[in-house]
Amino acid sequence: QVQLVESGGGLVQAGGSLRLSCAASGIIFKVNTMGWYRQAPGKQRELVAIISKVGSTNYADSVKGRFAISRDNAKNTVYLQMNSLKPEDTAVYYCNAEEGDYWGQGTQVTVSS
């Protein structure tokens, strides 16, 4: 109902790519700006990227030029394409419906040196 479901995480070598997906209920997806956040061990959760209901995007400086957020409104799904991954990208990645503050359970991304 209100749960968001993330998928697509895994273990990759530095320089590799992953594509994360977040599936939401239709009503949540339609009314919310969607965001990707991440939390590394011992660190605070930080914003990675956001996309508005009309498709405008913003990114953390640390991922600009490497990550791309997108949304498919027909599928009620938001994506995070992650390229040129670095070990410091290692974290649990979470999806958030901003206006309603709905969170998923997260998906682990691990980037090895």
Coordinates of all heavy atoms in Angstrom, one line a residue, residues 4 6 20-22 32-40 43-51 58-60 62-63 67 69 78-80 82 89-109:
L4 N 7.4 1.2 -0.5 CA 8.2 1.3 -1.7 C 9.2 0.2 -1.7 O 9.7 -0.2 -0.7 CB 8.9 2.6 -1.8 CG 8.1 3.9 -1.5 CD1 9.1 5.1 -1.7 CD2 7.0 4.0 -2.5
E6 N 12.6 -1.3 -3.4 CA 13.8 -1.1 -4.1 C 14.4 -2.4 -4.6 O 14.3 -3.4 -3.9 CB 14.9 -0.3 -3.3 CG 14.4 1.0 -2.8 CD 14.0 1.0 -1.3 OE1 13.5 -0.1 -0.9 OE2 14.0 2.0 -0.7
L20 N 19.3 0.8 -10.3 CA 18.4 0.6 -9.2 C 17.0 0.9 -9.7 O 16.8 1.9 -10.4 CB 18.7 1.4 -8.0 CG 20.2 1.3 -7.5 CD1 20.3 2.1 -6.2 CD2 20.6 -0.2 -7.3
S21 N 16.0 0.2 -9.1 CA 14.6 0.4 -9.4 C 13.8 0.6 -8.1 O 14.2 0.0 -7.1 CB 14.0 -0.7 -10.2 OG 14.6 -0.9 -11.5
C22 N 12.8 1.4 -8.1 CA 11.9 1.6 -7.0 C 10.5 1.6 -7.5 O 10.1 2.5 -8.2 CB 12.3 2.9 -6.2 SG 11.1 3.3 -4.9
N32 N 3.9 12.6 -5.7 CA 5.1 12.8 -5.0 C 6.3 13.0 -6.0 O 6.5 12.4 -7.0 CB 5.5 11.6 -4.2 CG 4.7 11.6 -2.8 OD1 5.2 12.2 -1.9 ND2 3.6 10.9 -2.8
T33 N 7.2 14.0 -5.5 CA 8.5 14.0 -6.0 C 9.2 12.8 -5.4 O 9.0 12.4 -4.3 CB 9.2 15.3 -5.4 OG1 8.6 16.4 -5.9 CG2 10.7 15.3 -5.8
M34 N 10.1 12.1 -6.2 CA 10.7 10.9 -5.8 C 12.2 11.1 -5.6 O 12.8 11.9 -6.4 CB 10.5 9.8 -6.8 CG 9.1 9.4 -7.1 SD 8.2 8.8 -5.6 CE 9.0 7.3 -5.3
G35 N 12.8 10.5 -4.6 CA 14.2 10.7 -4.3 C 14.9 9.4 -4.0 O 14.3 8.5 -3.5
W36 N 16.2 9.4 -4.3 CA 17.1 8.4 -3.9 C 18.1 8.9 -2.9 O 18.6 10.0 -3.1 CB 17.9 7.8 -5.1 CG 17.1 6.9 -6.0 CD1 16.6 7.2 -7.2 CD2 16.9 5.5 -5.8 NE1 16.0 6.1 -7.7 CE2 16.1 5.0 -6.9 CE3 17.2 4.6 -4.7 CZ2 15.7 3.7 -7.0 CZ3 16.8 3.3 -4.9 CH2 16.1 2.9 -6.0
Y37 N 18.2 8.2 -1.8 CA 19.1 8.5 -0.7 C 20.0 7.3 -0.5 O 19.8 6.2 -1.0 CB 18.3 8.7 0.6 CG 17.5 10.0 0.5 CD1 16.3 10.0 -0.2 CD2 17.9 11.1 1.3 CE1 15.5 11.2 -0.2 CE2 17.1 12.3 1.2 CZ 15.9 12.3 0.5 OH 15.1 13.4 0.5
R38 N 21.1 7.5 0.2 CA 22.0 6.4 0.6 C 22.6 6.6 2.0 O 22.7 7.7 2.4 CB 23.1 6.3 -0.5 CG 24.1 7.4 -0.5 CD 25.1 7.2 -1.6 NE 26.1 8.3 -1.7 CZ 27.0 8.4 -2.7 NH1 27.0 7.5 -3.7 NH2 27.9 9.4 -2.7
Q39 N 22.9 5.5 2.6 CA 23.5 5.6 3.9 C 24.6 4.5 4.0 O 24.4 3.3 3.9 CB 22.5 5.3 5.0 CG 23.0 5.5 6.4 CD 21.9 5.5 7.4 OE1 20.8 4.9 7.2 NE2 22.2 6.0 8.6
A40 N 25.9 5.0 4.2 CA 27.0 4.2 4.3 C 27.2 3.8 5.8 O 26.7 4.6 6.7 CB 28.3 4.9 3.8
K43 N 27.6 6.4 8.8 CA 27.3 7.8 8.2 C 25.8 8.1 8.3 O 25.0 7.2 8.4 CB 27.8 7.8 6.8 CG 29.3 7.5 6.6 CD 30.2 8.5 7.3 CE 31.7 8.2 7.1 NZ 32.6 9.2 7.7
Q44 N 25.6 9.4 8.1 CA 24.2 9.8 8.0 C 23.6 9.5 6.6 O 24.4 9.4 5.7 CB 24.1 11.4 8.2 CG 24.5 11.8 9.6 CD 24.3 13.3 9.8 OE1 23.2 13.9 9.4 NE2 25.2 14.0 10.4
R45 N 22.3 9.4 6.6 CA 21.7 9.2 5.3 C 21.7 10.5 4.5 O 21.5 11.6 5.0 CB 20.2 8.8 5.5 CG 19.5 8.4 4.2 CD 18.1 7.8 4.5 NE 18.2 6.6 5.3 CZ 17.1 5.9 5.6 NH1 15.9 6.2 5.2 NH2 17.3 4.8 6.4
E46 N 22.1 10.4 3.2 CA 22.3 11.6 2.4 C 21.5 11.5 1.1 O 21.2 10.4 0.6 CB 23.7 11.8 2.1 CG 24.4 10.7 1.2 CD 25.8 11.0 0.8 OE1 26.2 12.2 0.9 OE2 26.5 10.1 0.4
L47 N 21.0 12.6 0.6 CA 20.3 12.7 -0.6 C 21.3 12.5 -1.8 O 22.3 13.1 -1.9 CB 19.6 14.1 -0.8 CG 18.9 14.3 -2.1 CD1 17.7 13.4 -2.2 CD2 18.4 15.8 -2.2
V48 N 20.9 11.6 -2.7 CA 21.7 11.3 -3.9 C 21.1 12.1 -5.1 O 21.8 12.7 -5.9 CB 21.7 9.8 -4.2 CG1 22.5 9.6 -5.5 CG2 22.4 9.1 -3.0
A49 N 19.8 11.9 -5.4 CA 19.1 12.5 -6.5 C 17.6 12.6 -6.3 O 17.1 11.8 -5.5 CB 19.4 11.7 -7.8
I50 N 17.0 13.6 -6.9 CA 15.5 13.7 -6.8 C 15.0 14.0 -8.2 O 15.7 14.6 -9.0 CB 15.1 14.8 -5.8 CG1 15.7 16.2 -6.2 CG2 15.4 14.4 -4.4 CD1 15.2 17.3 -5.4
I51 N 13.7 13.6 -8.4 CA 13.0 13.9 -9.7 C 11.6 14.3 -9.3 O 10.9 13.7 -8.6 CB 13.1 12.7 -10.6 CG1 12.5 13.1 -12.0 CG2 12.5 11.5 -10.0 CD1 12.8 12.1 -13.1
N58 N 17.6 16.9 -9.8 CA 18.7 17.5 -9.0 C 19.6 16.4 -8.5 O 19.1 15.3 -8.1 CB 18.3 18.4 -7.9 CG 17.8 19.8 -8.4 OD1 18.7 20.6 -8.8 ND2 16.5 20.0 -8.4
Y59 N 20.9 16.6 -8.4 CA 21.8 15.6 -7.9 C 22.8 16.2 -6.9 O 23.1 17.3 -6.9 CB 22.7 15.1 -9.1 CG 21.9 14.4 -10.2 CD1 21.4 15.2 -11.2 CD2 21.6 13.1 -10.1 CE1 20.6 14.6 -12.2 CE2 20.9 12.5 -11.1 CZ 20.4 13.2 -12.2 OH 19.6 12.6 -13.2
A60 N 23.2 15.3 -6.0 CA 24.3 15.6 -5.1 C 25.6 15.8 -5.9 O 25.8 15.2 -7.0 CB 24.6 14.5 -4.1
S62 N 28.5 14.9 -5.5 CA 29.4 13.8 -5.5 C 29.0 12.8 -6.6 O 29.8 11.9 -7.0 CB 29.3 13.0 -4.2 OG 28.0 12.6 -3.8
V63 N 27.8 12.9 -7.2 CA 27.3 11.9 -8.2 C 27.0 12.6 -9.5 O 26.7 11.9 -10.5 CB 26.1 11.1 -7.7 CG1 26.4 10.4 -6.4 CG2 24.9 11.9 -7.6
F67 N 25.6 9.6 -12.2 CA 24.3 9.0 -11.9 C 23.2 9.7 -12.6 O 23.3 10.9 -12.9 CB 24.0 9.0 -10.4 CG 24.8 8.2 -9.5 CD1 25.9 7.5 -10.0 CD2 24.5 8.0 -8.2 CE1 26.7 6.7 -9.1 CE2 25.2 7.2 -7.3 CZ 26.4 6.6 -7.8
I69 N 18.8 9.9 -12.6 CA 17.5 9.5 -12.0 C 16.5 9.7 -13.1 O 16.5 10.7 -13.9 CB 17.2 10.3 -10.7 CG1 15.9 9.7 -10.1 CG2 17.0 11.8 -11.0 CD1 15.6 10.3 -8.7
V78 N 10.6 4.5 -10.3 CA 11.7 5.5 -10.4 C 13.0 4.7 -10.5 O 13.2 3.6 -9.8 CB 11.7 6.5 -9.3 CG1 11.9 5.8 -7.9 CG2 12.8 7.5 -9.5
Y79 N 14.0 5.1 -11.3 CA 15.2 4.4 -11.5 C 16.4 5.3 -11.1 O 16.3 6.5 -11.2 CB 15.4 4.0 -13.0 CG 14.2 3.2 -13.5 CD1 13.2 3.8 -14.2 CD2 14.2 1.8 -13.4 CE1 12.1 3.1 -14.7 CE2 13.2 1.1 -13.9 CZ 12.1 1.7 -14.6 OH 11.1 1.0 -15.1
L80 N 17.5 4.7 -10.8 CA 18.8 5.3 -10.6 C 19.8 4.6 -11.4 O 20.2 3.5 -11.0 CB 19.1 5.4 -9.1 CG 20.4 6.2 -8.8 CD1 20.2 7.7 -9.1 CD2 20.8 6.1 -7.4
M82 N 23.5 4.2 -12.3 CA 24.8 4.5 -11.6 C 25.9 4.0 -12.5 O 26.1 2.8 -12.7 CB 24.8 3.9 -10.2 CG 23.7 4.3 -9.3 SD 23.9 3.7 -7.6 CE 23.9 2.0 -7.9
D89 N 30.9 5.0 -3.2 CA 29.5 4.9 -3.4 C 28.8 3.8 -2.7 O 27.6 3.6 -2.7 CB 29.2 4.7 -4.9 CG 29.6 5.9 -5.8 OD1 29.4 7.1 -5.3 OD2 30.2 5.7 -6.9
T90 N 29.6 2.9 -2.0 CA 29.1 1.8 -1.3 C 28.2 2.3 -0.2 O 28.6 3.1 0.7 CB 30.3 1.0 -0.7 OG1 31.0 0.4 -1.7 CG2 29.7 -0.1 0.2
A91 N 27.0 1.8 -0.1 CA 25.9 2.2 0.8 C 24.7 1.4 0.6 O 24.6 0.7 -0.4 CB 25.6 3.7 0.7
V92 N 23.7 1.5 1.5 CA 22.4 1.1 1.3 C 21.6 2.2 0.6 O 21.7 3.3 1.1 CB 21.7 0.6 2.6 CG1 20.2 0.2 2.3 CG2 22.4 -0.5 3.2
Y93 N 21.0 2.0 -0.5 CA 20.3 3.0 -1.2 C 18.8 2.8 -1.0 O 18.2 1.8 -1.1 CB 20.6 2.9 -2.7 CG 21.9 3.4 -3.1 CD1 23.1 2.7 -2.7 CD2 22.1 4.6 -3.8 CE1 24.4 3.2 -3.0 CE2 23.3 5.1 -4.1 CZ 24.5 4.4 -3.7 OH 25.7 4.9 -4.0
Y94 N 18.2 4.0 -0.7 CA 16.7 4.0 -0.3 C 16.0 4.9 -1.3 O 16.5 5.9 -1.7 CB 16.5 4.6 1.1 CG 17.2 3.7 2.2 CD1 18.5 4.0 2.6 CD2 16.5 2.7 2.8 CE1 19.1 3.3 3.6 CE2 17.1 2.0 3.8 CZ 18.3 2.2 4.2 OH 18.9 1.5 5.2
C95 N 14.7 4.5 -1.5 CA 13.8 5.3 -2.3 C 12.9 6.0 -1.4 O 12.5 5.5 -0.3 CB 13.0 4.4 -3.2 SG 11.9 5.2 -4.3
N96 N 12.5 7.3 -1.7 CA 11.6 8.1 -0.8 C 10.6 8.8 -1.7 O 11.0 9.5 -2.7 CB 12.4 9.1 0.0 CG 11.6 10.0 0.9 OD1 11.6 11.2 0.7 ND2 10.8 9.4 1.7
A97 N 9.4 8.8 -1.3 CA 8.3 9.6 -1.8 C 8.3 10.9 -1.0 O 7.8 10.8 0.2 CB 7.0 8.9 -1.8
E98 N 8.8 12.0 -1.5 CA 9.1 13.1 -0.7 C 8.0 13.8 0.1 O 8.1 14.0 1.3 CB 9.8 14.2 -1.6 CG 11.1 13.7 -2.2 CD 12.3 13.6 -1.3 OE1 12.3 14.3 -0.2 OE2 13.2 12.9 -1.6
E99 N 6.9 14.1 -0.6 CA 5.8 14.8 0.1 C 5.2 14.0 1.2 O 4.8 14.5 2.2 CB 4.8 15.3 -1.0 CG 5.2 16.4 -1.9 CD 6.0 15.9 -3.1 OE1 6.4 14.8 -3.2 OE2 6.3 16.8 -4.0
G100 N 5.0 12.7 0.9 CA 4.4 11.8 1.9 C 5.5 11.2 2.9 O 5.1 10.6 3.9
D101 N 6.8 11.4 2.6 CA 7.8 10.8 3.4 C 7.7 9.3 3.6 O 7.8 8.7 4.7 CB 8.0 11.5 4.7 CG 9.3 11.3 5.4 OD1 10.3 11.1 4.7 OD2 9.4 11.3 6.6
Y102 N 7.4 8.6 2.5 CA 7.3 7.1 2.4 C 8.7 6.6 2.0 O 9.2 7.0 1.0 CB 6.2 6.7 1.5 CG 4.9 7.2 1.7 CD1 4.1 7.9 0.8 CD2 4.2 7.0 3.0 CE1 2.9 8.4 1.0 CE2 3.0 7.6 3.2 CZ 2.3 8.2 2.2 OH 1.0 8.7 2.5
W103 N 9.1 5.6 2.8 CA 10.5 5.0 2.5 C 10.4 3.5 2.2 O 9.5 2.8 2.7 CB 11.3 5.2 3.7 CG 11.7 6.6 4.0 CD1 11.0 7.5 4.8 CD2 12.9 7.2 3.5 NE1 11.7 8.7 4.8 CE2 12.8 8.6 4.1 CE3 14.0 6.9 2.7 CZ2 13.8 9.5 3.8 CZ3 14.9 7.8 2.5 CH2 14.9 9.1 3.0
G104 N 11.3 3.0 1.4 CA 11.4 1.6 1.1 C 12.4 1.0 2.1 O 13.0 1.7 3.0
Q105 N 12.7 -0.3 2.0 CA 13.6 -1.0 2.9 C 15.1 -0.9 2.5 O 16.0 -1.2 3.3 CB 13.2 -2.5 2.9 CG 11.8 -2.7 3.6 CD 11.8 -2.2 5.0 OE1 12.6 -2.6 5.8 NE2 10.8 -1.3 5.3
G106 N 15.3 -0.4 1.2 CA 16.7 -0.2 0.8 C 17.3 -1.4 0.0 O 16.8 -2.5 0.1
T107 N 18.3 -1.1 -0.8 CA 19.0 -2.2 -1.5 C 20.5 -1.9 -1.4 O 21.0 -0.7 -1.5 CB 18.6 -2.2 -3.0 OG1 19.2 -3.3 -3.6 CG2 18.8 -0.9 -3.7
Q108 N 21.3 -2.9 -1.1 CA 22.7 -2.7 -0.8 C 23.5 -2.6 -2.1 O 23.4 -3.4 -3.1 CB 23.3 -3.9 -0.1 CG 24.8 -3.9 0.2 CD 25.2 -2.8 1.2 OE1 24.6 -2.7 2.3 NE2 26.2 -2.0 0.8
V109 N 24.4 -1.6 -2.2 CA 25.3 -1.4 -3.3 C 26.7 -1.5 -2.7 O 27.0 -0.7 -1.8 CB 25.1 -0.1 -4.0 CG1 26.2 0.2 -5.0 CG2 23.7 -0.1 -4.7

